[in-house]
Amino acid sequence: MFRLMLSRLWCCTCNPVQCKGVVRNFSSSIPLSRQRLVILGTGWGSYSVLKHIDKKLFDVIVVSPRNHFLFTPLLCSTTVGTLEFRSIIEPVRNTGFRDEHHFQLAEAIKLCPEQREITCRSTLNEEEIKFQYDKLVIGVGAVSNTFGVPGVYENAFFLKEIADARKIRNQILKNFELAMQPGIDEDEKKRLLHFVIVGGGPTGVEFGAELYDFVKQDVARLYAHEKENVRVTLIEAQHILPSFDEKLRQFAERKMRQRNQFKLLQSSVTEVHKDGVTLKDGTRMPCSMVVWSTGLAPRDFTASLNLPKNKSQQLVVDGYLKIKGQEDYGIFALGDCSFVESHPYPCTAQVAERQGQYLAKSLTLYATGRQSEVQEFSWINLGMLAYVGGYQGLADFPTGKLQGFKSWIVWRSVYLTKLGSWRGRFQVPFDWARTFFFGRDISQF
């Protein structure tokens, strides 16, 4: 009988709402003993809620434009072939859903708190789908902040998703092959093999580290005659890795400046062109690729919500991760799209994952009538890690600081244990070993 009810989940309405296709209502007959929990996104926070929620108490519906969880700390390693793409993703459906229709490839576009209804648009056919909910978790994350710099969207690469890493990988290989073409003069070769990174946060630094390793270990072997033309420039307006201890930051800067083909430039970019960038002082710097990694900006959905937001357009939540002023509507937010007003936390994967675990536990207490047992969210920093290339890393723990080769060992060990599944824990060491013994795969596909 329950399967028969679920087969009637989709029912067309005769009034399309701002849609090229049909508006559909996602409604099912759910037993009164279970509440309907809708989770937006499959990032660190949302995925953590999904893994830890008690599905005996909730019918969990996940809506996201991607069907996998991405282990972002190792994303930079895929851009040059140190790791393969599928090694750091985990299909969301592997977590198990009560009904296969409870995961939808779509993105949220409209929220009506009074009706407890969220409208989403399918990424497959652009049809709009309406979901009713008892509890809603908004974990849609954020996008890279361009700060209004002209040409960024048209000419730069971002590094937030697997698709971004694949584009970067293909472009790097394409540039090397273009430099091998007959008739290419020396100036054009130097431009083709000049890679610019804008932003000195962990993503920018680690992508630069992976590029350095690629040049040192593979380019020297496979493109021996052109290796001297390869240059990497990291542009940062202030200091790299601002959240790290000063001594660790100085160590990273020193390592970068010691590399002949790696330049650390303190400046800012005012325009990105197809064949280079313009700096604040008017200097035009030729290059073939710009990777933009300069902070976070809200997604269109977050910015459009008529809910309390801070100056950065993050959703303001209280200590229980409830949207401020919306306690009666069962709306929660976590991760990069949220801002805990009483205690602002950094926008990191570590914070989002802990928030997800906390929220899953809190929702269970709410559902079982034990609201008095719910405590406010608190977070203890377990430390930060970064890779700077050449088997050198940084480890900034509350109990101590490490740098160099030992930190690189810690960096790999910690991330290996934190991967989302045993499948990943088998695949990633295999990729590392393959790269160490046989070099990176430079196949372009």
Side-chain angles (χ1 to χ4, degrees):
M1 176 62 70
F2 182 60
R3 301 295 293 181
L4 179 60
M5 292 176 181
L6 287 172
S7 69
R8 298 174 182 171
L9 284 172
W10 304 94
C11 61
C12 295
T13 66
C14 58
N15 181 25
V17 180
Q18 299 176 353
C19 178
K20 296 179 181 178
V22 178
V23 178
R24 298 184 182 274
N25 244 338
F26 194 92
S27 57
S28 61
S29 300
I30 296 177
L32 295 177
S33 59
R34 285 200 300 270
Q35 294 186 5
R36 179 180 293 181
L37 170 65
V38 175
I39 302 174
L40 303 181
T42 50
W44 282 91
S46 297
Y47 188 67
S48 184
V49 175
L50 177 62
K51 285 198 303 180
H52 294 95
I53 195 68
D54 187 348
K55 293 177 183 174
K56 295 178 182 178
L57 300 174
F58 294 92
D59 273 278
V60 183
I61 298 166
V62 176
V63 181
S64 175
R66 71 182 192 195
N67 68 350
H68 59 268
F69 164 72
L70 170 62
F71 191 80
T72 50
L74 293 177
L75 181 61
C76 293
S77 297
T78 66
T79 59
V80 294
T82 306
L83 296 177
E84 287 306 315
F85 303 114
R86 293 190 182 277
S87 298
I88 62 168
I89 60 177
E90 183 64 24
V92 174
R93 289 189 181 274
N94 285 355
T95 60
F97 289 89
R98 181 170 285 106
D99 184 274
E100 64 270 25
H101 299 93
H102 286 178
F103 174 77
Q104 292 294 319
L105 274 173
E107 57 183 352
I109 58 174
K110 183 180 178 182
L111 172 64
C112 296
E114 295 80 5
Q115 287 77 42
R116 291 181 179 265
E117 182 179 83
I118 181 79
T119 304
C120 304
R121 180 181 292 120
S122 169
T123 59
L124 303 175
N125 55 21
E126 295 193 358
E127 289 188 359
E128 290 188 3
I129 316 165
K130 291 186 177 181
F131 299 87
Q132 299 289 331
Y133 62 85
D134 296 300
K135 304 291 184 184
L136 175 67
V137 175
I138 303 175
V140 297
V143 296
S144 296
N145 196 339
T146 67
F147 298 100
V149 175
V152 175
Y153 284 117
E154 296 83 0
N155 302 310
F157 292 81
F158 299 102
L159 189 49
K160 296 283 288 182
E161 303 288 346
I162 279 290
D164 298 330
R166 186 170 181 176
K167 289 177 183 177
I168 291 172
R169 182 165 167 178
N170 280 332
Q171 189 64 45
I172 291 172
L173 297 174
K174 179 182 177 181
N175 288 351
F176 273 96
E177 295 303 328
L178 280 171
M180 302 299 110
Q181 294 288 301
I184 302 295
D185 61 37
E186 287 302 311
D187 288 341
E188 180 62 8
K189 284 183 180 182
K190 290 179 180 179
R191 188 192 70 82
L192 286 169
L193 300 180
H194 183 199
F195 305 96
V196 170
I197 306 164
V198 183
T203 300
V205 168
E206 292 191 342
F207 173 63
E210 293 292 344
L211 261 181
Y212 170 77
D213 286 351
F214 175 59
V215 171
K216 193 78 173 176
Q217 299 166 10
D218 296 278
V219 171
R221 173 174 57 90
L222 300 170
Y223 303 95
H225 292 91
E226 301 299 335
K227 64 180 180 180
E228 298 302 324
N229 286 326
V230 181
R231 290 183 299 146
V232 180
T233 301
L234 193 157
I235 303 173
E236 169 57 47
Q238 303 297 326
H239 299 285
I240 65 169
L241 303 172
S243 57
F244 278 74
D245 176 77
E246 184 178 356
K247 289 185 177 179
L248 296 180
R249 187 170 66 243
Q250 291 175 353
F251 172 82
E253 290 182 1
R254 187 168 63 252
K255 285 295 178 182
M256 291 180 186
R257 295 186 189 281
Q258 289 172 353
R259 297 165 183 168
N260 294 331
Q261 294 165 273
F262 199 111
K263 184 177 182 180
L264 185 57
L265 182 62
Q266 188 169 4
S267 184
S268 57
V269 173
T270 58
E271 189 171 358
V272 180
H273 312 279
K274 187 176 181 180
D275 58 353
V277 297
T278 299
L279 303 180
K280 181 174 61 175
D281 61 3
T283 303
R284 182 77 175 261
M285 182 181 292
C287 64
S288 62
M289 171 185 282
V290 178
V291 175
W292 193 272
S293 175
T294 59
L296 302 175
R299 293 190 181 275
D300 291 341
F301 170 68
T302 309
S304 70
L305 293 176
N306 187 24
L307 295 173
K309 292 191 283 283
N310 65 2
K311 292 181 180 179
S312 300
Q313 294 295 293
Q314 294 171 299
L315 297 170
V316 178
V317 298
D318 62 18
Y320 301 94
L321 305 187
K322 292 180 180 179
I323 297 291
K324 184 180 177 181
Q326 303 288 315
E327 291 83 357
D328 296 335
Y329 297 118
I331 307 174
F332 302 81
L334 76 176
D336 293 350
C337 68
S338 70
F339 175 81
V340 182
E341 189 175 37
S342 59
H343 196 305
Y345 295 104
C347 293
T348 64
Q350 186 183 146
V351 172
E353 183 182 35
R354 295 295 179 81
Q355 287 179 332
Q357 294 176 9
Y358 162 84
L359 195 51
K361 181 179 179 181
S362 297
L363 289 171
T364 298
L365 295 175
Y366 290 133
T368 53
R370 293 183 288 167
Q371 291 89 337
S372 60
E373 298 179 31
V374 179
Q375 304 292 321
E376 289 195 12
F377 173 75
S378 62
W379 172 74
I380 299 175
N381 184 12
L382 298 180
M384 297 177 292
L385 299 166
Y387 179 54
V388 296
Y391 304 111
Q392 304 287 305
L394 308 176
D396 192 345
F397 298 123
T399 55
K401 320 296 179 185
L402 290 174
Q403 61 190 36
F405 181 75
K406 290 181 180 179
S407 297
W408 174 75
I409 296 293
V410 173
W411 178 79
R412 284 203 165 181
S413 301
V414 170
Y415 285 162
L416 183 60
T417 60
K418 294 295 290 182
L419 281 163
S421 69
W422 282 105
R423 180 180 65 85
R425 292 177 192 136
F426 278 107
Q427 285 183 260
V428 166
F430 179 81
D431 287 349
W432 281 335
R434 184 207 63 227
T435 298
F436 181 80
F437 287 108
F438 305 109
R440 291 164 178 79
D441 184 355
I442 63 165
S443 303
Q444 191 175 359
F445 57 90

